[in-house]
Short mmCIF file of all heavy atoms in Angstrom, two decimals:
data_model
loop_
_atom_site.label_atom_id
_atom_site.label_comp_id
_atom_site.label_asym_id
_atom_site.label_seq_id
_atom_site.Cartn_x
_atom_site.Cartn_y
_atom_site.Cartn_z
N ARG A 275 2.14 34.08 12.37
CA ARG A 275 2.73 34.51 13.63
C ARG A 275 4.21 34.43 13.54
O ARG A 275 4.80 33.41 13.07
CB ARG A 275 2.28 33.66 14.79
CG ARG A 275 0.75 33.71 15.00
CD ARG A 275 0.36 32.79 16.10
NE ARG A 275 -1.07 32.72 16.29
CZ ARG A 275 -1.69 31.99 17.22
NH1 ARG A 275 -0.98 31.27 18.06
NH2 ARG A 275 -3.02 31.96 17.31
N THR A 285 13.77 24.23 13.36
CA THR A 285 13.83 22.96 12.73
C THR A 285 14.89 22.95 11.63
O THR A 285 15.33 21.88 11.21
CB THR A 285 12.50 22.61 12.03
OG1 THR A 285 12.24 23.54 10.99
CG2 THR A 285 11.37 22.65 13.03
N ARG A 337 -4.77 6.99 20.52
CA ARG A 337 -4.70 6.07 19.40
C ARG A 337 -4.88 4.63 19.90
O ARG A 337 -5.62 3.85 19.27
CB ARG A 337 -3.30 6.19 18.73
CG ARG A 337 -3.17 5.34 17.50
CD ARG A 337 -1.88 5.58 16.85
NE ARG A 337 -0.74 5.36 17.67
CZ ARG A 337 0.55 5.46 17.34
NH1 ARG A 337 0.78 5.90 16.11
NH2 ARG A 337 1.52 5.27 18.17
N ARG A 375 3.20 1.59 -6.33
CA ARG A 375 4.28 0.88 -5.64
C ARG A 375 5.49 1.84 -5.69
O ARG A 375 6.38 1.70 -6.50
CB ARG A 375 4.57 -0.44 -6.31
CG ARG A 375 3.45 -1.45 -6.17
CD ARG A 375 3.74 -2.65 -7.09
NE ARG A 375 2.68 -3.61 -6.96
CZ ARG A 375 2.76 -4.64 -6.09
NH1 ARG A 375 3.82 -4.82 -5.36
NH2 ARG A 375 1.80 -5.53 -6.00
N TYR A 384 11.10 -5.85 -8.49
CA TYR A 384 10.09 -5.78 -7.49
C TYR A 384 9.94 -4.37 -6.95
O TYR A 384 10.92 -3.63 -6.76
CB TYR A 384 10.39 -6.72 -6.31
CG TYR A 384 9.46 -6.60 -5.17
CD1 TYR A 384 8.17 -7.18 -5.27
CD2 TYR A 384 9.74 -5.95 -3.99
CE1 TYR A 384 7.24 -7.04 -4.18
CE2 TYR A 384 8.87 -5.80 -2.96
CZ TYR A 384 7.64 -6.38 -3.05
OH TYR A 384 6.75 -6.27 -2.04
N LYS A 387 4.55 -1.55 -1.88
CA LYS A 387 3.64 -0.48 -1.56
C LYS A 387 3.98 0.18 -0.23
O LYS A 387 3.46 1.22 0.08
CB LYS A 387 2.19 -1.06 -1.48
CG LYS A 387 1.69 -1.51 -2.77
CD LYS A 387 0.38 -2.24 -2.65
CE LYS A 387 -0.08 -2.73 -4.00
NZ LYS A 387 -1.24 -3.63 -3.92
N ARG A 394 11.43 -6.43 3.80
CA ARG A 394 11.27 -7.89 3.90
C ARG A 394 11.69 -8.57 2.61
O ARG A 394 12.29 -9.60 2.63
CB ARG A 394 9.83 -8.16 4.19
CG ARG A 394 9.52 -9.64 4.48
CD ARG A 394 8.04 -9.87 4.89
NE ARG A 394 7.16 -9.44 3.75
CZ ARG A 394 5.84 -9.56 3.92
NH1 ARG A 394 5.31 -9.97 5.02
NH2 ARG A 394 5.06 -9.22 2.93
N HIS A 395 11.37 -7.99 1.49
CA HIS A 395 11.71 -8.51 0.26
C HIS A 395 13.25 -8.59 0.06
O HIS A 395 13.79 -9.54 -0.52
CB HIS A 395 11.15 -7.67 -0.89
CG HIS A 395 11.76 -7.88 -2.25
ND1 HIS A 395 11.45 -8.91 -3.03
CD2 HIS A 395 12.76 -7.15 -2.84
CE1 HIS A 395 12.21 -8.85 -4.05
NE2 HIS A 395 13.05 -7.81 -4.08
N TYR A 450 -9.68 -35.31 -19.86
CA TYR A 450 -8.98 -34.95 -18.65
C TYR A 450 -8.69 -33.42 -18.60
O TYR A 450 -8.31 -32.81 -19.60
CB TYR A 450 -7.60 -35.66 -18.60
CG TYR A 450 -6.73 -35.27 -17.44
CD1 TYR A 450 -6.98 -35.75 -16.12
CD2 TYR A 450 -5.70 -34.38 -17.62
CE1 TYR A 450 -6.14 -35.38 -15.08
CE2 TYR A 450 -4.88 -33.99 -16.55
CZ TYR A 450 -5.15 -34.49 -15.30
OH TYR A 450 -4.34 -34.11 -14.27
N THR A 464 1.05 -39.79 -20.99
CA THR A 464 0.37 -41.13 -21.10
C THR A 464 -0.23 -41.30 -22.53
O THR A 464 -0.47 -42.49 -22.88
CB THR A 464 -0.76 -41.18 -20.01
OG1 THR A 464 -1.76 -40.24 -20.37
CG2 THR A 464 -0.18 -40.92 -18.67
N ARG A 481 8.22 -41.69 -17.04
CA ARG A 481 7.50 -40.49 -17.40
C ARG A 481 7.60 -39.40 -16.28
O ARG A 481 7.46 -38.21 -16.59
CB ARG A 481 5.99 -40.82 -17.56
CG ARG A 481 5.69 -41.69 -18.73
CD ARG A 481 4.18 -41.68 -19.05
NE ARG A 481 3.91 -42.43 -20.21
CZ ARG A 481 3.47 -43.71 -20.17
NH1 ARG A 481 3.25 -44.32 -19.00
NH2 ARG A 481 3.25 -44.35 -21.30
N GLN A 482 7.86 -39.85 -15.11
CA GLN A 482 7.96 -38.82 -14.03
C GLN A 482 9.37 -38.90 -13.40
O GLN A 482 9.87 -40.02 -13.19
CB GLN A 482 6.88 -39.05 -12.96
CG GLN A 482 5.47 -38.78 -13.46
CD GLN A 482 4.48 -38.92 -12.32
OE1 GLN A 482 4.70 -38.47 -11.23
NE2 GLN A 482 3.37 -39.62 -12.63
P DA C 3 4.06 -44.41 -16.25
OP1 DA C 3 4.05 -44.27 -17.71
OP2 DA C 3 5.03 -43.73 -15.45
"O5'" DA C 3 2.56 -43.90 -15.68
"C5'" DA C 3 1.44 -44.58 -16.22
"C4'" DA C 3 0.15 -43.93 -15.62
"O4'" DA C 3 0.04 -44.31 -14.23
"C3'" DA C 3 0.11 -42.40 -15.65
"O3'" DA C 3 -1.16 -41.93 -16.09
"C2'" DA C 3 0.46 -42.01 -14.24
"C1'" DA C 3 -0.15 -43.19 -13.44
N9 DA C 3 0.52 -43.50 -12.21
C8 DA C 3 1.87 -43.63 -11.95
N7 DA C 3 2.14 -43.87 -10.66
C5 DA C 3 0.94 -43.94 -10.09
C6 DA C 3 0.55 -44.09 -8.71
N6 DA C 3 1.43 -44.39 -7.79
N1 DA C 3 -0.78 -44.07 -8.45
C2 DA C 3 -1.65 -43.81 -9.41
N3 DA C 3 -1.38 -43.55 -10.67
C4 DA C 3 -0.06 -43.63 -10.97
P DT C 4 -1.32 -40.41 -16.39
OP1 DT C 4 -2.33 -40.34 -17.50
OP2 DT C 4 -0.01 -39.77 -16.51
"O5'" DT C 4 -2.00 -39.95 -15.09
"C5'" DT C 4 -3.21 -40.62 -14.65
"C4'" DT C 4 -3.59 -40.17 -13.22
"O4'" DT C 4 -2.61 -40.73 -12.29
"C3'" DT C 4 -3.63 -38.67 -12.98
"O3'" DT C 4 -4.97 -38.29 -12.74
"C2'" DT C 4 -2.74 -38.42 -11.79
"C1'" DT C 4 -2.63 -39.82 -11.18
N1 DT C 4 -1.35 -40.13 -10.39
C2 DT C 4 -1.45 -40.44 -9.07
O2 DT C 4 -2.51 -40.51 -8.52
N3 DT C 4 -0.26 -40.68 -8.47
C4 DT C 4 1.01 -40.61 -9.06
O4 DT C 4 2.06 -40.86 -8.37
C5 DT C 4 1.06 -40.28 -10.38
C7 DT C 4 2.34 -40.13 -11.17
C6 DT C 4 -0.14 -39.99 -11.06
P DC C 5 -5.28 -36.76 -12.59
OP1 DC C 5 -6.62 -36.52 -13.16
OP2 DC C 5 -4.14 -35.93 -12.93
"O5'" DC C 5 -5.42 -36.67 -10.99
"C5'" DC C 5 -6.23 -37.64 -10.35
"C4'" DC C 5 -6.10 -37.53 -8.83
"O4'" DC C 5 -4.77 -38.01 -8.48
"C3'" DC C 5 -6.17 -36.11 -8.29
"O3'" DC C 5 -7.19 -36.12 -7.29
"C2'" DC C 5 -4.84 -35.74 -7.77
"C1'" DC C 5 -4.22 -37.14 -7.43
N1 DC C 5 -2.71 -37.21 -7.55
C2 DC C 5 -2.02 -37.65 -6.44
O2 DC C 5 -2.57 -37.93 -5.42
N3 DC C 5 -0.64 -37.73 -6.62
C4 DC C 5 -0.04 -37.32 -7.75
N4 DC C 5 1.28 -37.44 -7.80
C5 DC C 5 -0.82 -36.93 -8.91
C6 DC C 5 -2.12 -36.88 -8.76
P DA C 13 9.24 -11.45 -2.24
OP1 DA C 13 9.81 -10.91 -3.52
OP2 DA C 13 9.77 -11.11 -0.89
"O5'" DA C 13 7.64 -11.08 -2.21
"C5'" DA C 13 6.85 -11.54 -3.25
"C4'" DA C 13 5.35 -11.21 -2.96
"O4'" DA C 13 4.93 -12.08 -1.86
"C3'" DA C 13 5.12 -9.82 -2.52
"O3'" DA C 13 4.02 -9.30 -3.22
"C2'" DA C 13 4.82 -9.92 -1.05
"C1'" DA C 13 4.19 -11.31 -0.94
N9 DA C 13 4.37 -11.91 0.40
C8 DA C 13 5.51 -12.07 1.11
N7 DA C 13 5.33 -12.67 2.24
C5 DA C 13 3.98 -12.95 2.28
C6 DA C 13 3.15 -13.60 3.23
N6 DA C 13 3.59 -14.01 4.40
N1 DA C 13 1.85 -13.70 2.97
C2 DA C 13 1.40 -13.16 1.77
N3 DA C 13 2.07 -12.62 0.82
C4 DA C 13 3.41 -12.46 1.15
P DG C 14 3.66 -7.80 -3.11
OP1 DG C 14 3.40 -7.34 -4.52
OP2 DG C 14 4.49 -7.06 -2.17
"O5'" DG C 14 2.18 -7.84 -2.42
"C5'" DG C 14 1.19 -8.69 -3.02
"C4'" DG C 14 -0.11 -8.59 -2.30
"O4'" DG C 14 0.00 -9.39 -1.07
"C3'" DG C 14 -0.45 -7.14 -1.83
"O3'" DG C 14 -1.84 -6.98 -1.96
"C2'" DG C 14 -0.10 -7.14 -0.34
"C1'" DG C 14 -0.31 -8.61 0.09
N9 DG C 14 0.61 -9.04 1.10
C8 DG C 14 1.97 -8.97 1.16
N7 DG C 14 2.55 -9.46 2.23
C5 DG C 14 1.48 -9.95 2.96
C6 DG C 14 1.44 -10.58 4.21
O6 DG C 14 2.40 -10.86 4.99
N1 DG C 14 0.12 -10.89 4.62
C2 DG C 14 -0.99 -10.61 3.87
N2 DG C 14 -2.12 -10.97 4.43
N3 DG C 14 -0.97 -10.00 2.70
C4 DG C 14 0.33 -9.71 2.31
P DA C 15 -2.48 -5.54 -1.73
OP1 DA C 15 -3.60 -5.40 -2.62
OP2 DA C 15 -1.41 -4.52 -1.80
"O5'" DA C 15 -2.92 -5.55 -0.24
"C5'" DA C 15 -3.87 -6.60 0.18
"C4'" DA C 15 -4.17 -6.51 1.62
"O4'" DA C 15 -2.97 -7.10 2.31
"C3'" DA C 15 -4.28 -5.14 2.21
"O3'" DA C 15 -5.63 -4.99 2.75
"C2'" DA C 15 -3.23 -5.01 3.27
"C1'" DA C 15 -2.81 -6.47 3.56
N9 DA C 15 -1.50 -6.67 3.98
C8 DA C 15 -0.33 -6.26 3.33
N7 DA C 15 0.77 -6.56 3.87
C5 DA C 15 0.37 -7.22 5.05
C6 DA C 15 1.09 -7.84 6.14
N6 DA C 15 2.35 -7.87 6.22
N1 DA C 15 0.31 -8.45 7.10
C2 DA C 15 -1.04 -8.41 6.97
N3 DA C 15 -1.77 -7.91 6.07
C4 DA C 15 -1.01 -7.34 5.11
P DG C 18 -5.65 -3.54 16.46
OP1 DG C 18 -6.18 -4.50 17.41
OP2 DG C 18 -6.49 -2.35 16.07
"O5'" DG C 18 -4.21 -2.95 17.04
"C5'" DG C 18 -3.26 -3.95 17.42
"C4'" DG C 18 -1.98 -3.26 17.71
"O4'" DG C 18 -1.31 -2.91 16.50
"C3'" DG C 18 -2.06 -1.98 18.51
"O3'" DG C 18 -1.46 -2.13 19.78
"C2'" DG C 18 -1.30 -0.92 17.69
"C1'" DG C 18 -0.51 -1.84 16.77
N9 DG C 18 -0.16 -1.19 15.47
C8 DG C 18 -1.05 -0.63 14.56
N7 DG C 18 -0.45 -0.15 13.49
C5 DG C 18 0.84 -0.41 13.71
C6 DG C 18 1.97 -0.10 12.82
O6 DG C 18 1.96 0.46 11.76
N1 DG C 18 3.20 -0.52 13.46
C2 DG C 18 3.24 -1.19 14.65
N2 DG C 18 4.52 -1.51 15.10
N3 DG C 18 2.24 -1.48 15.45
C4 DG C 18 1.07 -1.04 14.93
P DC C 19 -1.52 -1.02 20.84
OP1 DC C 19 -1.60 -1.65 22.21
OP2 DC C 19 -2.47 -0.01 20.46
"O5'" DC C 19 -0.06 -0.43 20.69
"C5'" DC C 19 1.05 -1.31 20.74
"C4'" DC C 19 2.33 -0.55 20.26
"O4'" DC C 19 2.16 -0.28 18.88
"C3'" DC C 19 2.62 0.69 21.01
"O3'" DC C 19 3.86 0.57 21.63
"C2'" DC C 19 2.69 1.71 19.89
"C1'" DC C 19 2.90 0.92 18.61
N1 DC C 19 2.32 1.52 17.38
C2 DC C 19 3.23 1.87 16.39
O2 DC C 19 4.45 1.62 16.49
N3 DC C 19 2.73 2.39 15.20
C4 DC C 19 1.45 2.65 15.08
N4 DC C 19 1.01 3.17 13.99
C5 DC C 19 0.53 2.31 16.12
C6 DC C 19 1.00 1.75 17.30
P DG C 20 4.43 1.67 22.59
OP1 DG C 20 5.05 0.95 23.74
OP2 DG C 20 3.35 2.65 22.88
"O5'" DG C 20 5.55 2.36 21.77
"C5'" DG C 20 6.62 1.56 21.25
"C4'" DG C 20 7.65 2.41 20.58
"O4'" DG C 20 7.15 2.82 19.27
"C3'" DG C 20 8.00 3.68 21.30
"O3'" DG C 20 9.41 3.88 21.20
"C2'" DG C 20 7.28 4.82 20.55
"C1'" DG C 20 7.19 4.19 19.10
N9 DG C 20 6.00 4.62 18.35
C8 DG C 20 4.69 4.52 18.76
N7 DG C 20 3.87 4.93 17.82
C5 DG C 20 4.65 5.32 16.78
C6 DG C 20 4.27 5.86 15.50
O6 DG C 20 3.18 6.13 15.06
N1 DG C 20 5.42 6.15 14.74
C2 DG C 20 6.71 5.89 15.12
N2 DG C 20 7.66 6.23 14.24
N3 DG C 20 7.03 5.38 16.32
C4 DG C 20 5.97 5.15 17.09
P DT C 21 10.07 5.08 22.06
OP1 DT C 21 11.47 4.60 22.38
OP2 DT C 21 9.16 5.49 23.16
"O5'" DT C 21 10.11 6.25 20.99
"C5'" DT C 21 10.72 6.01 19.76
"C4'" DT C 21 10.54 7.20 18.87
"O4'" DT C 21 9.19 7.15 18.31
"C3'" DT C 21 10.68 8.55 19.48
"O3'" DT C 21 11.81 9.25 18.87
"C2'" DT C 21 9.36 9.31 19.26
"C1'" DT C 21 8.79 8.52 18.05
N1 DT C 21 7.30 8.54 17.95
C2 DT C 21 6.70 8.97 16.80
O2 DT C 21 7.38 9.28 15.85
N3 DT C 21 5.39 8.92 16.79
C4 DT C 21 4.56 8.60 17.83
O4 DT C 21 3.30 8.59 17.72
C5 DT C 21 5.21 8.15 19.05
C7 DT C 21 4.38 7.74 20.25
C6 DT C 21 6.54 8.13 19.00
P DG C 24 9.33 20.41 12.07
OP1 DG C 24 9.87 20.77 10.79
OP2 DG C 24 9.90 20.99 13.33
"O5'" DG C 24 7.75 20.72 12.06
"C5'" DG C 24 6.98 20.04 11.10
"C4'" DG C 24 5.50 20.27 11.45
"O4'" DG C 24 5.11 19.60 12.64
"C3'" DG C 24 5.09 21.75 11.65
"O3'" DG C 24 3.97 22.06 10.94
"C2'" DG C 24 4.95 21.90 13.12
"C1'" DG C 24 4.48 20.52 13.51
N9 DG C 24 4.76 20.08 14.91
C8 DG C 24 6.02 19.96 15.47
N7 DG C 24 5.95 19.58 16.65
C5 DG C 24 4.61 19.40 16.95
C6 DG C 24 3.92 19.01 18.17
O6 DG C 24 4.44 18.69 19.24
N1 DG C 24 2.56 18.94 18.01
C2 DG C 24 1.92 19.28 16.81
N2 DG C 24 0.58 19.21 16.86
N3 DG C 24 2.52 19.69 15.71
C4 DG C 24 3.89 19.73 15.87
P DT C 25 3.42 23.53 10.88
OP1 DT C 25 2.76 23.72 9.63
OP2 DT C 25 4.48 24.46 11.32
"O5'" DT C 25 2.23 23.53 12.02
"C5'" DT C 25 1.22 22.59 11.96
"C4'" DT C 25 0.24 22.71 13.06
"O4'" DT C 25 0.86 22.26 14.31
"C3'" DT C 25 -0.13 24.23 13.34
"O3'" DT C 25 -1.58 24.34 13.38
"C2'" DT C 25 0.47 24.54 14.72
"C1'" DT C 25 0.52 23.13 15.37
N1 DT C 25 1.54 22.95 16.42
C2 DT C 25 1.20 22.46 17.62
O2 DT C 25 0.08 22.23 17.96
N3 DT C 25 2.23 22.32 18.52
C4 DT C 25 3.61 22.55 18.24
O4 DT C 25 4.44 22.36 19.16
C5 DT C 25 3.93 23.03 16.92
C7 DT C 25 5.34 23.32 16.60
C6 DT C 25 2.90 23.18 16.10
P DT C 27 -6.48 26.44 18.70
OP1 DT C 27 -7.83 25.82 18.59
OP2 DT C 27 -6.13 27.66 17.93
"O5'" DT C 27 -6.09 26.70 20.22
"C5'" DT C 27 -6.01 25.53 21.12
"C4'" DT C 27 -5.45 25.94 22.43
"O4'" DT C 27 -4.03 26.02 22.38
"C3'" DT C 27 -5.90 27.33 22.93
"O3'" DT C 27 -6.22 27.30 24.31
"C2'" DT C 27 -4.73 28.20 22.65
"C1'" DT C 27 -3.60 27.23 22.98
N1 DT C 27 -2.26 27.59 22.43
C2 DT C 27 -1.19 27.30 23.17
O2 DT C 27 -1.22 26.77 24.26
N3 DT C 27 0.07 27.68 22.59
C4 DT C 27 0.20 28.23 21.35
O4 DT C 27 1.31 28.50 20.93
C5 DT C 27 -1.01 28.47 20.58
C7 DT C 27 -0.96 29.21 19.27
C6 DT C 27 -2.16 28.20 21.17
#
Side-chain angles (χ1 to χ4, degrees):
Chain A
R275 301 177 184 180
T285 66
R337 185 175 57 180
R375 292 170 178 268
Y384 175 77
K387 293 171 182 172
R394 185 176 61 181
H395 161 81
Y450 175 79
T464 67
R481 291 195 178 98
Q482 295 183 43

